Amino acid sequence: MKHLLSLVLCLSFLTASAEVRLTVRADEVKCAVSPTLYGLMTEEINFCYEGGLYSQLLRDPQMREREGDPRQRNRRNAPLRFWQWNDSIKTWTNQGFWGIAVRPSTEYRGKMKTDGKAVMSVGLRSTVDGTVYAQAIVSASDAGWLDFTLNTAANIKETKDVEFFLQFTGDTRCGLNYVSLTPVSKKQVTVKSDLYRTDLMDMLREMHPKFLRFPGGNYLEGNRFSERFWWQRTLGPVELRPGHHCPWGYWSTDGMGLLEFLCWCEEMGAEPILGVFAGYTLQGDYVTGKALNGFIEEALDEIEYVIGDVSTEWGARRAQDGHPAPFKLTYVEIGNEDFFDRSGSYAERYTMFYEAIKAKYPQLEIICTDSPDKMRRLARDWKVEDRMKLDIIDEHYYRGYKDMLRQCGMYDKYDRKGPKVFCGEWATREGDPTTNMKAALADAAWMIGMERNSDIVIAHCYAPLFVNVNPGGMQWKSDLIGYDALNSYGSPSYYAQCMFAGNLGTEVVKMECDNMPRMQVEKDTLDQLYYTATRDKATDKVFVKMVNAGETSIDVTLSTIGKKVSGKALQTTLVADSMNATNSITNPRAIVPLTKKVKGSGKMKIKLPARSIEVIELQ
Ligand code: AHR
């Protein structure tokens, strides 16, 4: 009885003090917000470029992928995998990447290489009823390259149930070595604009990325030396690039090559974070000492291609490729995930790359891909401890909802005297192919932890960015943006990113919580509320970010001290009615942020719905 009484008293005490008070101290600056805080990470995975951002519509334009192991590209007798030949009507067909997007009033530019004389009818037609959407006659008078154009009528409906056909007429017939087809983009921003799928580019711009980390990821390393991102082989006319096997199990034509990555940055107003191959492959092949010099040269040349002026060898090559102006480059990353390096050779490889890059380009900042403790240990083994400098460490975190929430305060405790952090891959892995609301809540809480510690976390990016949602399109679960040949959509995690990156001040200011609500997650008791605030020096706006990661609403009194709050405020909310709720290719906008005007004041009462992410902009 006595125990019951104290339990009742205790519960009533908890209820009575349940009001959660958040206080923003807008004039107490904790640190500057890193200008490169929010960015993107990308590599060829989940049909991210091929069948994704890269707008080439036909699969295997080089006509080399054979049935069975696509690496056996020289088995000329084996049938092609993605091109079908019908002997009775002398027709080649290609169904693209799970269909081909056809839209009204659209021009498509094609290119082919023939080995002789022939007359062909080429076009796009329905795989459902054979309706022809666009057609042209192409005459090859000799061996060589031919361009052709297809145009769709204004009155057709957009569809992806489409195949490309190439039918020889009469008795004519010739061999083909290459056939490609790309829709012509209506707005040309860079020399490469036509190569990026416009709906996906629009979605990326909404994320306000300040950088693009490329080309990986595992894709940088490759399974073997010959399958690394061999950047020189990705230059020049796309039809002449050899392509290579991607470690995620399919063929890359390398249509998305180094220049395409750089122009992609330019189109988004982002700068590259360039990963250079560091002499270690995913299969564990590696080189050290003198044998590394070739790869170091390769990296120095690559940097010259990016930032060298036209008087340099590789700057001149960039100009010849259509882009005389150098690109902006601040960060270069040496390798990828070398904490997985089984050889223990990274300390030497890293140090050799670091010294060579710094000697030629002292202005560049170098990113290391293993932890400081391990690097120091390895440095002793390799006798490079006096030379090794660790400026920025790339950390990767893939976790479930509970672990992500549990680790949100991790950077509060980081050593301020140690290297800076680039969180170059992270994601809450809940839901597939794209994430659900449960993931978005933990993502948002994790981003709050990074934003609040922006003095040490200089940049971060979610991974993977893209997934083609067709069966066989996904190699890695819990992705940010999904698509098929025609449509695309953002996951709740995508919208959390847009909300946060789009409402970023220039200074992190102090914020406190009284009465933190706690919640039970499995056997753990965790904070239910996550928060941070920034102020923008130029506009004097304050941005308050809050996440209610639990299943009950929270009543918050938000006080702002140190700033005169005008009556105008904006409140943007992302909320869902269950943790598993999500967006999909068939229901793309089930969960999207809503912005409304609210009355701003120095003391605001706000109800944070269960499972919600909020951004309040105070003017
Ligand atoms: O993002 C998927 C993969 O995860 C990346 O290629 C690799 O760097 C990491 O292991």
Side-chain angles (χ1 to χ4, degrees):
M1 186 62 190
K2 202 171 142 204
H3 282 123
L4 189 63
L5 195 64
S6 44
L7 183 67
V8 170
L9 278 173
C10 178
L11 281 176
S12 55
F13 169 76
L14 280 177
T15 321
S17 60
E19 187 207 26
V20 177
R21 290 186 301 278
L22 287 174
T23 307
V24 177
R25 300 192 182 275
D27 53 354
E28 291 187 39
V29 175
K30 265 186 72 188
C31 63
V33 172
S34 167
T36 51
L37 189 60
Y38 288 87
L40 305 176
M41 187 273 169
T42 173
E43 66 174 317
E44 184 60 87
I45 183 174
N46 296 331
F47 291 83
C48 168
Y49 315 136
E50 307 285 333
L53 185 74
Y54 178 42
S55 61
Q56 159 61 240
L57 296 171
L58 307 185
R59 188 144 182 200
D60 188 23
Q62 296 145 326
M63 307 188 92
R64 288 199 216 144
E65 288 190 52
R66 306 267 150 196
E67 295 291 354
D69 181 359
R71 287 184 198 204
Q72 296 187 27
R73 299 163 69 74
N74 295 326
R75 289 193 311 136
R76 301 296 300 178
N77 298 335
L80 286 168
R81 214 166 152 207
F82 300 107
W83 288 89
Q84 283 76 46
W85 170 249
N86 183 324
D87 205 32
S88 60
I89 51 169
K90 295 205 291 179
T91 305
W92 283 110
T93 51
N94 183 306
Q95 298 193 348
F97 294 88
W98 299 277
I100 295 175
V102 157
R103 295 190 168 85
S105 307
T106 304
E107 183 183 335
Y108 298 82
R109 225 169 262 159
K111 199 173 199 65
M112 67 169 85
K113 191 174 184 202
T114 60
D115 71 358
K117 237 179 167 175
V119 180
M120 296 154 263
S121 161
V122 295
L124 293 164
R125 70 178 172 217
S126 165
T127 46
V128 179
D129 60 13
T131 305
V132 174
Y133 298 113
Q135 194 167 8
I137 301 294
V138 181
S139 301
S141 52
D142 216 338
W145 291 97
L146 270 177
D147 293 326
F148 63 93
T149 303
L150 297 173
N151 280 289
T152 52
N155 60 352
I156 64 160
K157 274 209 183 117
E158 63 174 29
T159 170
K160 64 179 171 57
D161 298 328
V162 172
E163 66 184 6
F164 172 80
F165 65 89
L166 185 153
Q167 184 167 28
F168 293 102
T169 48
D171 290 337
T172 68
R173 173 137 175 219
C174 66
L176 297 163
N177 294 312
Y178 183 91
V179 186
S180 70
L181 192 70
T182 311
V184 178
S185 142
K186 303 223 160 79
K187 50 179 191 219
Q188 196 75 27
V189 182
T190 70
V191 284
K192 297 288 179 187
S193 293
D194 268 350
L195 292 181
Y196 317 109
R197 203 173 125 167
T198 48
D199 57 335
L200 296 177
M201 283 300 280
D202 288 345
M203 289 188 74
L204 297 182
R205 283 193 199 93
E206 289 296 309
M207 293 176 73
H208 307 275
K210 293 294 185 297
F211 67 85
L212 175 72
R213 174 181 179 235
F214 69 83
N218 290 358
Y219 187 60
L220 169 70
E221 299 165 271
N223 280 325
R224 308 186 292 204
F225 285 126
S226 61
E227 292 176 354
R228 68 188 186 277
F229 183 77
W230 198 336
W231 66 273
Q232 293 99 328
R233 294 181 165 209
T234 72
L235 301 181
V238 289
E239 59 275 16
L240 300 182
R241 298 179 191 175
H244 75 285
H245 188 75
C246 139
W248 296 102
Y250 56 95
W251 186 255
S252 168
T253 60
D254 285 335
M256 283 294 293
L258 180 57
L259 184 59
E260 286 75 20
F261 282 115
L262 295 166
C263 288
W264 173 13
C265 292
E266 205 168 65
E267 292 228 359
M268 296 187 300
E271 69 171 280
I273 291 189
L274 179 69
V276 295
F277 180 76
Y280 184 89
T281 73
L282 289 169
Q283 295 299 324
D285 304 325
Y286 69 101
V287 286
T288 55
K290 282 199 182 121
L292 205 54
N293 286 340
F295 290 126
I296 293 177
E297 269 318 299
E298 193 173 295
L300 292 175
D301 289 348
E302 185 173 10
I303 296 169
E304 187 173 284
Y305 185 90
V306 180
I307 58 174
D309 67 46
V310 293
S311 66
T312 63
E313 180 191 349
W314 287 103
R317 174 62 203 270
R318 187 193 59 240
Q320 186 194 321
D321 291 343
H323 201 289
F327 291 90
K328 186 171 181 215
L329 183 69
T330 310
Y331 299 105
V332 173
E333 176 160 20
I334 301 172
N336 173 58
E337 292 197 335
D338 286 273
F339 47 83
F340 283 134
D341 169 2
R342 298 183 290 279
S343 71
S345 65
Y346 187 56
E348 175 171 83
R349 291 186 290 110
Y350 168 81
T351 305
M352 286 177 70
F353 271 86
Y354 184 105
E355 288 175 345
I357 295 172
K358 279 285 194 183
K360 190 161 176 200
Y361 301 105
Q363 78 277 19
L364 293 180
E365 302 208 31
I366 309 294
I367 302 172
C368 166
T369 75
D370 203 347
S371 72
D373 285 352
K374 193 161 143 227
M375 287 302 277
R376 284 185 203 110
R377 226 174 34 242
L378 290 172
R380 278 195 295 278
D381 299 346
W382 286 89
K383 305 205 179 353
V384 290
E385 65 234 84
D386 302 336
R387 290 160 47 198
M388 196 177 71
K389 295 198 179 66
L390 299 174
D391 303 337
I392 305 165
I393 306 292
D394 179 358
E395 300 185 348
H396 293 179
Y397 298 107
Y398 292 105
R399 297 172 173 141
Y401 163 84
K402 187 176 79 176
D403 287 339
M404 204 54 136
L405 290 181
R406 207 168 32 195
Q407 295 296 332
C408 279
M410 190 179 102
Y411 290 120
D412 297 335
K413 298 172 210 119
Y414 255 50
D415 174 11
R416 262 48 194 176
K417 293 193 204 84
K420 303 274 186 214
V421 172
F422 166 41
C423 193
E425 288 181 34
W426 66 266
T428 311
R429 302 196 69 189
E430 305 281 352
D432 72 87
T434 49
T435 57
N436 56 25
M437 191 65 191
K438 190 174 184 182
L441 293 168
D443 285 349
W446 173 248
M447 286 192 283
I448 280 177
M450 291 194 282
E451 192 173 304
R452 191 171 60 219
N453 289 287
S454 189
D455 58 327
I456 185 149
V457 182
I458 57 162
H460 70 81
C461 41
Y462 187 100
L465 180 64
F466 285 139
V467 63
N468 188 313
V469 299
N470 282 290
M474 181 187 76
Q475 290 85 50
W476 184 281
K477 286 180 183 181
S478 308
D479 304 301
L480 208 61
I481 295 173
Y483 47 82
D484 59 17
L486 195 61
N487 296 307
S488 48
Y489 70 95
S491 61
S493 296
Y494 163 79
Y495 288 112
Q497 299 255 341
C498 296
M499 283 168 72
F500 279 19
N503 291 287
L504 188 61
T506 54
E507 293 165 330
V508 179
V509 295
K510 280 202 179 143
M511 191 167 172
E512 292 142 17
C513 177
D514 292 318
N515 278 337
M516 169 57 76
R518 304 272 285 163
M519 62 178 180
Q520 201 67 26
V521 182
E522 295 155 24
K523 286 189 183 138
D524 291 301
T525 308
L526 302 176
D527 288 352
Q528 186 178 341
L529 176 63
Y530 300 82
Y531 57 87
T532 193
T534 56
R535 184 171 187 159
D536 191 279
K537 257 189 176 173
T539 61
D540 200 38
K541 286 178 182 169
V542 165
F543 300 98
V544 183
K545 292 171 178 141
M546 292 172 285
V547 176
N548 176 359
E551 295 278 11
T552 54
S553 64
I554 307 174
D555 290 310
V556 167
T557 303
L558 175 69
S559 304
T560 305
I561 299 171
K563 170 184 163 59
K564 201 165 172 305
V565 178
S566 81
K568 288 185 194 156
L570 290 177
Q571 181 173 7
T572 305
T573 309
L574 188 73
V575 61
D577 54 16
S578 85
M579 288 287 184
N580 291 331
T582 193
N583 297 330
S584 65
I585 198 80
T586 49
N587 192 6
R589 296 187 59 81
I591 303 167
V592 292
L594 290 178
T595 301
K596 61 178 183 195
K597 287 184 185 153
V598 292
K599 200 167 163 310
S601 73
K603 200 169 202 175
M604 296 166 71
K605 298 260 185 209
I606 299 167
K607 188 180 257 324
L608 301 179
R611 302 168 298 274
S612 66
I613 302 169
E614 302 271 356
V615 178
I616 312 265
E617 178 193 304
L618 299 171
Q619 299 177 3

